[in-house]
Amino acid sequence: MSENRLLLEVVTPDRLVVSEEVDIVVAPGVEGQFGVLVNHIPFLSALEVGEMYYKKGGQTEFIFISGGFAEVTGKKVTILADSAERGKEIDIERAKRAKERAEKRLAMGKIADFDWVRAEAALRRSLTRMKIATR
């Protein structure tokens, strides 16, 4: 491993999404977005649904994250995500259909609080997927 790079691993319950040496990682923490460079102070953060990205040699790669945790050590960032998809893996038509379903549920007006929260979360996930897929 290079002295100037971090090892980034993005893992879901189903698969290893990324395992690469990178220059920088930026992730959606629950307290706000954070960035990590090599030799960063160790910490642990819960993750929000959102966009994470990493840079490697001038190239930027975007990944959809639907919550989880990030562990940072001086030379490694481990993302343990509920689900994660690289931008090029996202099915934009599926994301559009999910957006439409969520908007219909929300437009129905008065629904149970639990269903409202689920519909809002589905809308947020689909919008984030669509944003990442079109980068």
Side-chain angles (χ1 to χ4, degrees), residues 4-6 21-25 36-38 54-59:
N4 300 326
R5 289 203 166 157
L6 292 160
E21 288 187 14
V22 302
D23 300 316
I24 185 172
V25 175
V36 180
L37 296 168
V38 71
Y54 63 92
K55 293 184 180 186
K56 179 179 178 180
Q59 292 286 98

Side-chain angles (χ1 to χ4, degrees), residues 30-31 34 41-47 68-73 78 80:
V30 293
E31 297 291 324
F34 62 88
I41 187 167
F43 75 95
L44 183 65
S45 176
L47 297 173
F69 294 92
E71 178 186 32
V72 176
T73 63
T78 304
L80 303 171

Side-chain angles (χ1 to χ4, degrees), residues 4-71:
N4 300 326
R5 289 203 166 157
L6 292 160
L7 176 60
L8 169 63
E9 291 190 338
V10 178
V11 182
T12 70
D14 301 332
R15 67 188 180 119
L16 176 64
V17 178
V18 174
S19 182
E20 293 187 44
E21 288 187 14
V22 302
D23 300 316
I24 185 172
V25 175
V26 178
V30 293
E31 297 291 324
Q33 193 175 47
F34 62 88
V36 180
L37 296 168
V38 71
N39 296 323
H40 195 289
I41 187 167
F43 75 95
L44 183 65
S45 176
L47 297 173
E48 284 283 333
V49 170
E51 172 184 85
M52 75 160 282
Y53 67 90
Y54 63 92
K55 293 184 180 186
K56 179 179 178 180
Q59 292 286 98
T60 303
E61 295 288 331
F62 295 90
I63 299 175
F64 169 78
I65 299 290
S66 68
F69 294 92
E71 178 186 32

Side-chain angles (χ1 to χ4, degrees), residues 102-118:
E103 287 173 338
K104 283 180 186 175
R105 284 188 205 119
L106 292 171
M108 289 173 22
K110 189 171 181 151
I111 56 177
D113 288 343
F114 179 73
D115 289 337
W116 185 269
V117 170
R118 287 181 49 202

